[in-house]
C-alpha cells in the first residue's frame, strides 16, 4: 500500500496533463495562482468551469465538464478546487474519463469519494496544495 507521501511524489513527478476543476478566471484566486504555477513547471492545464466554458484562462480553453475536456485531452490528474460536498460527482467523472489520479486541494476532503477513487485505481491526495507540495519536494 502506498502512503500519502508516495502518492504525492508520484503524482508530482508523473502527471503532466492536469484538469483543474473549479479554475477561476480571477488572478487573485488560489485556483488561478496554482494553475499558473503548474504551467510554469511544464504542466498542461485543462480548465474545467461551467461558468466560464468556452472562454480562455491562462491561454487554455475552458470546458464545462470533465467529460467535455476528455474529448480533447488525455486527463492524467484531476485537481479539484470545489467544496468538499461537490467532490463525489467529480470523482465519478474522473473515473469515467480514465484519469489516473485525483488531487483535492487544501481544505477539501471527502473520505467516501476518495475511497471510491482508490477502488477504481486512482491515486488520491486530499487536503493538500499542489503548489506547496511541489515546492516542498523540489
Amino acid at each position: 500500500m502506498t502512503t500519502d507521501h508516495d502518492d504525492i511524489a508520484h503524482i508530482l513527478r508523473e502527471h503532466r496533463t492536469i484538469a483543474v476543476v473549479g479554475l477561476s478566471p480571477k488572478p487573485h484566486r488560489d485556483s488561478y495562482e496554482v494553475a499558473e504555477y503548474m504551467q510554469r513547471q511544464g504542466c498542461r492545464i485543462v480548465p474545467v468551469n461551467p461558468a466560464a466554458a468556452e472562454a480562455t484562462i491562462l491561454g487554455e480553453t475552458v470546458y464545462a465538464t470533465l467529460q467535455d475536456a476528455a474529448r480533447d485531452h488525455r486527463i492524467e490528474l484531476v485537481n479539484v478546487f470545489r467544496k468538499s460536498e461537490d467532490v463525489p460527482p467529480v470523482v465519478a467523472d474522473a473515473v469515467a474519463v480514465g484519469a489516473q489520479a485525483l488531487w483535492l486541494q487544501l481544505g477539501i476532503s471527502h473520505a467516501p469519494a476518495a475511497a471510491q477513487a482508490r477502488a477504481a485505481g486512482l491515486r488520491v491526495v486530499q487536503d493538500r496544495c499542489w503548489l506547496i507540495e511541489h515546492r516542498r519536494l523540489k
Side-chain angles (χ1 to χ4, degrees):
M1 176 152 187
T2 61
T3 65
D4 283 347
H5 179 76
D6 293 336
D7 283 337
I8 290 168
H10 177 87
I11 290 168
L12 292 173
R13 184 178 61 249
E14 300 296 328
H15 301 301
R16 310 310 290 167
T17 303
I18 304 169
V20 183
V21 177
L23 178 55
S24 173
K26 299 174 183 172
H28 68 277
R29 301 293 296 262
D30 290 342
S31 62
Y32 189 98
E33 180 185 351
V34 171
E36 186 176 45
Y37 177 84
M38 289 172 166
Q39 282 184 320
R40 288 195 311 267
Q41 304 312 307
C43 295
R44 172 74 186 271
I45 63 152
V46 181
V48 177
N49 180 337
E54 299 183 24
T56 59
I57 300 176
L58 294 167
E60 298 288 346
T61 299
V62 181
Y63 293 88
T65 69
L66 200 49
Q67 288 167 336
D68 291 342
R71 288 188 193 103
D72 294 334
H73 304 277
R74 183 177 165 271
I75 306 298
E76 297 174 356
L77 170 63
V78 176
N79 188 338
V80 182
F81 284 91
R82 298 288 313 269
K83 292 183 246 173
S84 295
E85 58 265 24
D86 296 336
V87 169
V90 175
V91 168
D93 286 347
V95 171
V97 303
Q100 300 163 350
L102 173 74
W103 190 295
L104 304 180
Q105 282 293 139
L106 200 57
I108 305 167
S109 62
H110 195 289
Q116 178 187 357
R118 284 189 185 99
L122 280 72
R123 290 179 181 262
V124 177
V125 173
Q126 298 187 80
D127 194 22
R128 300 281 185 116
C129 176
W130 194 98
L131 182 155
I132 291 169
E133 295 302 320
H134 186 270
R135 285 182 175 161
R136 186 176 63 79
L137 293 176
K138 238 167 125 174

